[in-house]
Amino acid sequence: MEQIILTGDRPTGRLHVGHYVGSLKRRVELQNSGKYDKIFIMIADAQALTDNAEHPEKVRQNIIEVALDYLACGLDPVKSTMFIQSQIPELCELSFYYMNLVTVARLQRNPTVKSEIQMRNFEASIPVGFFTYPISQASDITAFKATAVPVGEDQAPMLEQTKEIVRKFNAVYGDTLVEPEMLLPDNKACLRLPGIDGKAKMSKSLGNCIYLGEDADEVKKKVMSMFTDPNHLRVEDPGQVEDNPVFIYLDAFSRPEHFERHFPDYQNIQEMKAHYTRGGLGDMKVKKFLNNVLQDELEPIRNRRRELEKDIPAIYDILKEGSMRAREAAARTLDDVRRAMKINYFEDMDLISEQAKKYARSCG
Ligand code: ATP
Ligand code: MG
């Protein structure tokens, strides 16, 4: 079986370091591993509109931001097909059929949708499109017959919903769709990077992000303002490293060579954590180190982004070309789906002659 990846992001803002460790970095590694036959990376503009219907300009502007971040991080248009969701009408058609295979009660139980409804204060007025976005996500994944979906932990319920739809579809209409596998980051700290404010998730919609491509000064300012252990008041106080965003970021980003270069007092993160827990290591020092680590990681991305920004029409060309390729792939799956559902009336010569015979008999 072909090994195929589908993954993507909503163009609701620039991408941040949570995206980077949760999904983007892994995608680049998978892209370069040579283990995949096809890789599709989707800019989910239609999904972004499900909770931004009144802000189409926001979605429109951010498509290019996301594409620049992709390329700056090392996604390569030769190896990975980057495309815009709304340009693939086959995805809507597929959703229309999947909607019959999912109950309202099942959607209401989806924990990600539940928490996102709360986060957006949608309780009394959930747009239908937003409520059904897990179905549209199932279409995105299955239209490309994806076998692997590298995403952050918050997407687990979506993958579960997709698998259920695949099983149901195949049971009703015969083996047609492929069940995808979720690829989570190996590093626990990367599963769901918290915000700089200490909130459970760094998220574009919460404004608690360090963005990729952000200026060095801005990154430093944000790191220095980060939430840490609120009970660690004096340097000599024992501090807590669990649930402390500064240490979660260090878990996600720091490597032994960073210690060698920026903080040779310690050989690794364990030694540093032990000192903080004992007392005697101040937040300032930890934050300075974190800033150095982040700058090392972000500087090459920032520089590549600046270069790419010089030719914006070329980025649109990449997306146009990718959208054409993606549409061809989705159209092939839709042919299979229509055949399986027996709604390919005009190709089905048996159906036409059967019906003709029926009426020939009744006339005769
Ligand atoms: P929005 O607030 O508009 O939903 P977002 O910041 O949640 O934006 P998405 O576009 O919804 O970003 O998510 C894109 C991908 O990045 C998904 O695979 C998601 O799991 C992953 N991701 C998003 N935020 C984080 C995070 N803080 N830590 C790890 N992975 C993340
Ligand atoms: Mg999200």
Side-chain angles (χ1 to χ4, degrees):
M1 191 166 61
E2 273 192 307
Q3 296 300 307
I4 301 173
I5 286 181
L6 177 285
T7 181
D9 304 274
R10 297 153 37 96
T12 49
R14 298 172 67 155
L15 298 184
H16 52 65
V17 295
H19 295 120
Y20 184 67
V21 293
S23 154
L24 214 41
K25 195 170 163 188
R26 184 78 181 277
R27 287 181 207 170
V28 176
E29 285 162 12
L30 294 171
Q31 168 194 271
N32 297 333
S33 73
K35 285 192 196 141
Y36 290 87
D37 301 296
K38 290 181 194 144
I39 300 177
F40 294 97
I41 315 277
M42 178 179 80
I43 303 185
D45 62 334
Q47 193 195 113
L49 286 169
T50 63
D51 58 337
N52 285 287
E54 279 137 48
H55 310 285
E57 199 53 36
K58 170 175 157 188
V59 173
R60 195 165 101 110
Q61 298 294 332
N62 279 306
I63 288 176
I64 198 74
E65 299 285 3
V66 171
L68 284 166
D69 285 329
Y70 282 171
L71 296 164
C73 285
L75 286 176
D76 171 355
V78 176
K79 297 179 187 159
S80 298
T81 302
M82 285 169 245
F83 69 98
I84 305 179
Q85 186 185 26
S86 62
Q87 305 307 298
I88 322 294
E90 283 77 5
L91 299 176
C92 303
E93 187 181 344
L94 204 47
S95 294
F96 197 49
Y97 303 140
Y98 289 174
M99 282 191 193
N100 305 324
L101 306 177
V102 181
T103 63
V104 171
R106 176 63 183 89
L107 288 175
Q108 278 165 337
R109 275 203 311 274
N110 184 313
T112 306
V113 174
K114 261 194 204 164
S115 75
E116 288 183 340
I117 284 173
Q118 234 177 6
M119 211 167 91
R120 290 165 176 75
N121 297 321
F122 268 167
E123 277 92 348
S125 55
I126 311 165
V128 175
F130 184 81
F131 182 62
T132 57
Y133 94 74
I135 299 178
S136 109
Q137 235 168 295
S139 305
D140 302 334
I141 295 168
T142 53
F144 299 96
K145 301 207 162 160
T147 51
V149 184
V151 285
E153 194 189 30
D154 61 318
Q155 296 301 309
M158 305 302 164
L159 260 286
E160 215 26 68
Q161 178 75 80
T162 301
K163 287 182 186 183
E164 281 176 31
I165 290 175
V166 168
R167 283 183 217 130
K168 183 89 193 250
F169 187 100
N170 288 348
V172 176
Y173 302 113
D175 246 352
T176 311
L177 304 173
V178 178
E179 240 185 85
E181 181 202 346
M182 179 172 180
L183 295 182
L184 285 175
D186 302 324
N187 182 340
K188 217 173 123 252
C190 303
L191 287 176
R192 186 176 306 216
L193 202 74
I196 53 172
D197 56 358
K199 285 216 182 88
K201 183 174 173 267
M202 180 178 286
S203 163
K204 298 184 220 104
S205 307
L206 295 177
N208 56 6
C209 309
I210 295 177
Y211 294 100
L212 296 171
E214 200 154 33
D215 284 341
D217 291 350
E218 195 56 33
V219 172
K220 186 169 182 194
K221 220 161 64 199
K222 288 187 176 175
V223 171
M224 291 307 176
S225 76
M226 267 178 78
F227 180 88
T228 65
D229 172 4
N231 299 317
H232 186 238
L233 298 176
R234 288 165 311 177
V235 172
E236 58 274 23
D237 290 341
Q240 194 179 320
V241 293
E242 291 84 31
D243 302 324
N244 183 333
V246 177
F247 280 96
I248 298 175
Y249 284 26
L250 283 174
D251 277 333
F253 285 97
S254 73
R255 295 186 297 271
E257 64 260 32
H258 291 132
F259 285 91
E260 218 175 285
R261 199 174 315 144
H262 302 297
F263 214 158
D265 298 19
Y266 313 106
Q267 293 205 355
N268 53 43
I269 184 72
Q270 281 73 28
E271 285 184 21
M272 188 176 192
K273 279 182 178 174
H275 193 180
Y276 191 82
T277 312
R278 266 198 320 274
L281 174 57
D283 283 327
M284 244 359 183
K285 275 193 177 169
V286 184
K287 285 181 174 177
K288 270 193 188 142
F289 176 58
L290 173 61
N291 176 56
N292 286 329
V293 170
L294 283 177
Q295 301 290 357
D296 279 5
E297 194 82 12
L298 297 181
E299 193 187 272
I301 297 175
R302 186 187 308 130
N303 293 341
R304 273 198 300 272
R305 206 182 197 278
R306 299 278 178 275
E307 276 308 303
L308 290 157
E309 284 168 2
K310 291 180 186 158
D311 191 359
I312 294 297
I315 314 285
Y316 279 104
D317 281 343
I318 290 173
L319 295 177
K320 185 175 172 192
E321 167 73 30
S323 298
M324 270 157 52
R325 287 215 304 266
R327 189 163 183 197
E328 283 164 14
R332 279 195 294 276
T333 304
L334 258 294
D335 281 343
D336 295 345
V337 163
R338 287 193 212 101
R339 208 171 307 122
M341 292 177 70
K342 298 194 179 295
I343 54 175
N344 59 334
Y345 312 113
F346 308 128
E347 284 174 5
D348 190 344
M349 291 310 149
D350 289 347
L351 167 77
I352 296 173
S353 68
E354 234 171 66
Q355 297 290 57
K357 257 188 239 158
K358 196 163 88 191
Y359 287 91
R361 255 201 320 277
S362 65
C363 290

